[in-house]
Amino acid sequence: MGEFGDILVTAVLRGGIYALMALGLSLVFGVMNIANFAHGEFYMLGAYFAYFSFTTFKLGVIPSVLIAALLAFAVGVIVERGLFYPLRKRSKKNWLMNTFLLTLGVSIILQNGAKLMWGSRYRGVTSYFGGTISVGTMQIPNDRIFAFAVACIAIAIFVLFLNKTKLGRAIRSVSMDETGASLVGVNLNMIHTLTFGLSCMLAALAGACLLPLTPAFPVMGINPLYKSWFVLILVGMGNLGASIVGGLIVGLLETISYFQFGAGWQDVISLAVIIVILLVKPNGIFGKKGVKSAAE
Amino acid sequence: MEEKVLSTEKKAGMLELIGKFGLTPLGAAALLTISVLPFIFRDEFVTRLLVATLMYGALAMAFDFTSGYINICNFGFCAFWGLGAYTSAIVAIRLGVSPWVGMLCGGVMSAIVGFGLGLLTIRLGGIFASCMTWFVALAMMAVTYNWVSLTKGSAGLNVPALFDTVQNAPYYYVMLAIMLLVYFVLMRITKSNMGMAFRAIGQDIEAASSSGVNPTKYKVVNFTISCAIAGLIGGFYAHFIGILTPQALGTAKTVEIMAISYIGGRGTIWGGLACAMIMVPLMEYSKGLMELRLVLYGALMIAVMIFYPKGLVGLWEAVTAFLRRSNKIWKPFRKIFSKNGAI
């Protein structure tokens, strides 16, 4: 396999999680037209919830992750009902910018609320499943494989849900045309709430799976947040299928620049790439008609 | 009789003169109060806090100049502040020039990069432009972290002080001068035709360009001015605080400035200053509440967003309009509360 194989494996493992995060962000943008800046905070919540159910309540790995996802879903529903719903009643003009600032406020509250409740110390678990698997020349921790597997399963279930169920089709119809969807009897309020909850759930899943690798602390969300924004800008906003591919591309890009330039500079490289992409293809590399465009 | 007419004319002349600087009489009185504050309190801690207050106020005004007028939320604003700070510090350390020159260099450097950022965002609108500014800022922060030979990375860079004294009053007056400069410049620009062009672009870019406003030019000009101010203030900050870490370029700082500016009121310039005057001391003195105060801060921001988008300025306008209508006692003071509400 050699070095190339190592890069590829690392990239795929990384990219799966990015795809999971980006999928939720993209969903909320496509359906509700919200640029969610608090997405990373739900990742943080997921990590905390998983930590407490795993260590304090001594639940198994799978139940912990599931509980984290469900709780984050509940928080997401509360946030949507409590904040975006009243704002939607009041503002139509400048909605995108207003909600963006609103999510900033949510992010401040969740971050500092977490600090208030749980302090700013790191809370992590050493491992979910000990041991490693050797792939080629590399030793990969089982936890990484687990996280990747969960990401894959979640994405698969989610895609099936969107395409095969009535509810999923309703969500997709709202993302295509809100007025049309409401004309044929889709309950917009319910769909919006559900969508936001699901998006939070996906972010929390990522946070919960990665708990052995990144411990929970209040400001952990910023990195996954901008990685998922990165994916979205790369492939075009609200383009669900492409954001999965985008996650893998970002994973690959980061891993290559990590191997080439060392830790630290990888951020500079990937940011430089994204800036260039925003410049030459503002609609993303898979930009197509019907997807919301950068030029507005 | 004649004398009386003359004196009222004189008064009107005075008002006009003050008005030319973008001040109402009330604003002038507030300015006088602000300028003697260090002598009232005579406390180093309070003076230091006042410097921070003015600094946040000036930054919020510069932020509002972009977000409130051309309607692009510069999400990397503090990176330009940090860039100015680092430039000023490095120029002063490496080349040994005086910190005053360093501050100017900081402003110029940020203006140049801000010009570049303006060019980068030409094709982008709304949230994408914000993302672009954010990514540029993150890249700048990452470079600051990693270019250890120049910036000392996360260990922090020691910066020579602006004055050889431990007192904070001199810093206060420098900051006050900068703040006033920023205020007058921004007030002048926003009241001129250029300000009108900014507003036009912010409201409807297509309508603006079809009526002859060149959006590219004005966007770039706006970014350059706003970033130059951030850089200048950054230069001051470096020599005031004495140590710089790359954290200064981070998103958290931008969010703070943004919150101050939005709670103050969008597209008003002085709203940010007024809000900083209230919020910064309030935050400092409520430190006992720990994280709760930041939670409340976020809640306030959300409440303003949902229920009162006009912010503090809107509130002030409502109050003065009520006073103007309600009572004859206020008649002599009418001129004090000018109609457009600016202090």
Side-chain angles (χ1 to χ4, degrees):
Chain A
M1 291 253 283
E3 195 184 341
F4 179 71
D6 291 354
I7 292 180
L8 209 61
V9 172
T10 320
V12 168
L13 291 179
R14 237 175 219 264
I17 297 292
Y18 290 163
L20 187 61
M21 288 286 293
L23 195 60
L25 196 62
S26 186
L27 183 73
V28 160
F29 188 85
V31 175
M32 302 171 74
N33 208 5
I34 290 175
N36 188 2
F37 195 77
H39 202 57
E41 267 52 63
F42 290 98
Y43 173 91
M44 180 265 295
L45 281 184
Y48 268 111
F49 290 149
Y51 171 82
F52 286 118
S53 24
F54 189 70
T55 56
T56 315
F57 297 102
K58 305 269 184 260
L59 297 171
V61 176
I62 309 278
S64 301
V65 171
L66 287 180
I67 283 175
L70 285 178
L71 284 178
F73 179 82
V75 176
V77 167
I78 293 168
V79 168
E80 207 283 332
R81 280 275 122 180
L83 299 176
F84 294 113
Y85 179 70
L87 185 65
R88 203 177 310 120
K89 288 266 166 287
R90 283 163 178 272
S91 105
K92 285 274 177 257
K93 214 184 103 206
N94 230 343
W95 160 259
L96 189 61
M97 214 58 216
N98 283 344
T99 48
F100 170 64
L101 294 165
L102 195 61
T103 58
L104 267 182
V106 173
S107 152
I108 294 177
I109 290 184
L110 288 180
Q111 252 178 38
N112 291 290
K115 250 187 222 168
L116 190 68
M117 277 191 287
W118 302 312
S120 27
R121 74 183 181 87
Y122 292 90
R123 287 169 197 268
V125 296
T126 41
S127 64
Y128 279 150
F129 307 100
T132 54
I133 291 179
S134 55
V135 178
T137 52
M138 280 199 309
Q139 293 289 319
I140 297 171
N142 279 342
D143 289 332
R144 237 177 211 290
I145 306 285
F146 169 70
F148 181 70
V150 171
C152 287
I153 295 169
I155 291 174
I157 292 178
F158 196 70
V159 170
L160 276 181
F161 165 74
L162 280 184
N163 288 308
K164 300 289 174 198
T165 64
K166 210 173 170 188
L167 215 51
R169 287 202 197 101
I171 290 179
R172 278 171 54 223
S173 73
V174 174
S175 86
M176 283 166 194
D177 187 342
E178 205 160 275
T179 327
S182 71
L183 277 177
V184 294
V186 173
N187 181 350
L188 283 184
N189 288 333
M190 192 269 281
I191 292 297
H192 282 153
T193 312
L194 179 72
T195 308
F196 199 79
L198 283 176
S199 153
C200 297
M201 190 170 96
L202 292 181
L205 260 184
C209 297
L210 288 182
L211 186 63
L213 303 164
T214 42
F217 60 101
V219 290
M220 71 193 294
I222 183 84
N223 225 8
L225 173 73
Y226 98 76
K227 293 289 159 54
S228 35
W229 269 104
F230 190 172
V231 175
L232 249 65
I233 302 254
L234 185 73
V235 298
M237 307 278 280
N239 192 346
L240 284 184
S243 55
I244 298 168
V245 186
L248 296 176
I249 296 177
V250 172
L252 191 64
L253 189 68
E254 285 208 331
T255 316
I256 291 176
S257 44
Y258 179 81
F259 273 80
Q260 287 293 319
F261 303 96
W265 287 104
Q266 55 168 340
D267 281 349
V268 182
I269 304 291
S270 43
L271 285 165
V273 169
I274 196 71
I275 289 167
V276 170
I277 285 173
L278 262 178
L279 273 184
V280 294
K281 276 192 88 71
N283 292 342
I285 46 177
F286 301 122
K288 58 179 186 190
K289 273 190 184 153
V291 173
K292 288 176 180 82
S293 80
E296 286 190 38
Chain B
M1 185 67 195
E2 220 177 20
E3 213 175 15
K4 208 179 177 186
V5 171
L6 230 159
S7 77
T8 39
E9 254 178 23
K10 225 178 185 178
K11 255 189 204 160
M14 272 286 282
L15 284 178
E16 239 171 58
L17 190 70
I18 301 173
K20 262 190 187 161
F21 287 102
L23 285 170
T24 60
L26 202 64
L31 176 60
L32 269 179
T33 321
I34 290 172
S35 60
V36 295
L37 276 181
F39 293 104
I40 297 175
F41 289 109
R42 291 184 176 282
D43 182 289
E44 290 304 318
F45 172 75
V46 173
T47 315
R48 227 176 151 68
L49 180 61
L50 287 171
V51 177
T53 308
L54 289 185
M55 193 174 74
Y56 274 102
L59 284 172
M61 286 195 287
F63 181 83
D64 189 44
F65 184 64
T66 306
S67 73
Y69 285 81
I70 62 169
N71 211 0
I72 292 177
C73 174
N74 185 351
F75 210 54
F77 186 69
C78 276
F80 290 88
W81 180 62
L83 176 70
Y86 266 100
T87 310
S88 176
I90 289 166
V91 166
I93 293 169
R94 289 287 164 101
L95 305 180
V97 299
S98 99
W100 299 96
V101 182
M103 272 161 69
L104 281 183
C105 291
V108 171
M109 185 71 189
S110 289
I112 294 169
V113 182
F115 178 78
L117 183 66
L119 290 179
L120 288 180
T121 53
I122 285 172
R123 279 176 70 190
L124 308 171
I127 198 73
F128 290 86
S130 292
C131 278
M132 177 61 118
T133 59
W134 186 34
F135 289 138
V136 170
L138 284 171
M140 277 156 72
M141 187 168 84
V143 169
T144 318
Y145 264 117
N146 289 296
W147 197 347
V148 180
S149 61
L150 191 67
T151 64
K152 299 236 170 70
S154 47
L157 186 66
N158 281 312
V159 188
L162 199 57
F163 298 107
D164 288 331
T165 146
V166 287
Q167 284 192 319
N168 287 304
Y171 290 101
Y172 181 76
Y173 287 104
V174 173
M175 191 59 233
L176 184 65
I178 294 176
M179 190 277 282
L180 287 177
L181 179 77
V182 169
Y183 178 75
F184 290 136
V185 166
L186 293 186
M187 239 18 191
R188 260 336 256 276
I189 294 175
T190 50
K191 290 228 167 96
S192 68
N193 285 346
M194 197 188 262
M196 202 109 82
F198 289 152
R199 273 183 199 277
I201 292 173
Q203 276 162 11
D204 190 334
I205 201 159
E206 272 159 31
S209 55
S210 66
S211 43
V213 178
N214 179 352
T216 310
K217 177 183 142 198
Y218 284 106
K219 260 189 186 176
V220 173
V221 167
N222 188 301
F223 265 103
T224 311
I225 294 173
S226 164
C227 292
I229 292 171
L232 182 71
I233 300 170
F236 168 80
Y237 172 78
H239 301 291
F240 168 63
I241 207 82
I243 185 158
L244 286 177
T245 56
Q247 217 79 62
L249 281 78
T251 314
K253 264 276 187 298
T254 308
V255 172
E256 256 176 73
I257 304 284
M258 184 174 353
I260 289 177
S261 145
Y262 276 97
I263 295 174
R266 274 183 258 184
T268 58
I269 300 293
W270 69 276
L273 181 62
C275 182
M277 293 281 178
I278 300 168
M279 292 300 282
V280 177
L282 203 67
M283 292 305 263
E284 186 60 37
Y285 284 108
S286 58
K287 266 213 162 126
L289 292 175
M290 303 299 285
E291 274 72 31
L292 188 61
R293 82 201 157 106
L294 286 167
V295 174
L296 293 176
Y297 196 50
L300 179 65
M301 190 171 155
I302 289 178
V304 170
M305 285 310 308
I306 299 183
F307 300 108
Y308 211 75
K310 286 176 186 164
L312 268 183
V313 169
L315 193 67
W316 170 255
E317 273 168 3
V319 169
T320 52
F322 174 74
L323 288 180
R324 247 186 275 130
R325 271 197 318 262
S326 65
N327 204 330
K328 277 194 174 165
I329 306 169
W330 286 97
K331 214 174 175 183
F333 301 106
R334 268 187 194 171
K335 275 218 154 143
I336 293 181
F337 305 110
S338 82
K339 272 196 187 110
N340 59 19
I343 281 196

